[in-house]
Amino acid sequence: MRDTLCEKDMACSACLRNSELANEPKEITSRKNWRSRLGIFLKTSPLTKPARKHRKPYRPSPDDVNQWAESMENLMSSRDGMIIFRLFMKSEFCEENIEFWLACEEFRNIKSPAKRKARARGIYEEFIRSESPKEINLDFHTKDAIFQSLHSSTQSSFTAAQSKVYSLMESNSYPRFLQSQLYSQLYQLAQGKCKECATWE
């Protein structure tokens, strides 16, 4: 059963301008969107030095791209792989899943109880509460458990929810990413065979 917000085709204003959504079919808009974002990423990846005027654009290595195809764990443990996967998620209008996962990773590293409590409330309001701006698809019991833990948040408060969202991405979004034109062009780019990619530079 298709039960993630991805399949509901919910557009996010952070991904695309309203005018783009109104004037173009979604599949065309999505394709333009990730190409534009990928082009920007390839020029401004953290692995390049913005201060250098004549720096070479970042290109993934063949080994990088092959590693990303082996497992979602490899993809998410790579800084650039995760950024590219996030671009793909945006193109599918389901970036709230990966943004929630990243927020949980950040949350687990908060040492101060006061800061952790405040951040837990922020994550709940942004991703968990019904009709929140980036509501993720979780069952009632998981949502309720998080709500009940808000007054005394621990580093594991979002562990169950994060695990469920990761599983959803791994079983739904990740296979589609590997079958996507985006990944195909990344693979060609890494091999030096992507003619279309020259327009991104």
Side-chain angles (χ1 to χ4, degrees), residues 10-196:
M10 296 183 69
C12 170
S13 60
C15 309
L16 301 169
R17 296 190 303 274
N18 289 334
S19 60
E20 289 177 323
L21 291 172
N23 296 330
E24 293 185 311
K26 184 171 57 185
E27 61 274 9
I28 295 175
T29 301
S30 297
R31 192 161 53 247
K32 286 184 177 179
N33 189 43
W34 68 250
R35 283 182 180 165
S36 173
R37 290 174 183 274
L38 181 60
I40 292 169
F41 167 72
L42 293 174
K43 293 178 184 178
T44 61
S45 166
L47 299 182
T48 61
K49 302 290 186 183
R52 294 182 184 174
K53 291 183 179 179
H54 302 293
R55 70 186 187 279
K56 291 183 179 179
Y58 165 74
R59 292 293 182 262
S61 71
D63 186 55
D64 287 337
V65 178
N66 287 331
Q67 287 286 322
W68 299 341
E70 288 182 7
S71 70
M72 186 165 145
E73 182 179 354
N74 287 349
L75 178 67
M76 296 291 277
S77 64
S78 161
R79 179 173 181 168
D80 292 304
M82 185 274 295
I83 291 172
I84 289 168
F85 186 51
R86 190 173 181 179
L87 296 180
F88 173 76
M89 298 284 280
K90 283 181 178 288
S91 77
E92 291 216 326
F93 311 113
C94 59
E95 70 273 19
E96 65 277 355
N97 290 323
I98 194 167
E99 287 178 6
F100 171 73
W101 186 87
L102 290 168
C104 291
E105 288 292 287
E106 174 197 357
F107 176 81
R108 288 193 308 171
N109 294 320
I110 298 175
K111 305 299 183 185
S112 164
K115 289 182 179 179
R116 190 166 54 235
K117 183 177 180 180
R119 185 63 184 123
R121 173 61 69 176
I123 292 173
Y124 177 81
E125 291 295 326
E126 186 175 8
F127 297 103
I128 309 296
R129 179 180 53 79
S130 295
E131 299 183 10
S132 56
K134 299 178 181 179
E135 184 181 1
I136 57 174
N137 191 10
L138 290 174
D139 60 273
F140 170 78
H141 296 294
T142 304
K143 287 186 173 186
D144 189 57
I146 292 172
F147 178 76
Q148 298 299 329
S149 73
L150 289 178
H151 66 284
S152 58
S153 298
T154 66
Q155 289 175 310
S156 61
S157 291
F158 294 98
T159 300
Q162 184 183 21
S163 178
K164 289 183 179 186
V165 167
Y166 186 92
S167 294
L168 287 172
M169 291 192 295
E170 188 173 36
S171 62
N172 291 299
S173 299
Y174 177 63
R176 287 199 302 275
F177 168 70
L178 295 180
Q179 296 297 318
S180 70
Q181 187 179 11
L182 170 58
Y183 180 79
S184 175
Q185 291 193 339
L186 278 170
Y187 184 85
Q188 293 176 53
L189 178 62
Q191 301 290 332
K193 299 177 181 178
C194 181
K195 295 180 181 179
E196 182 178 349

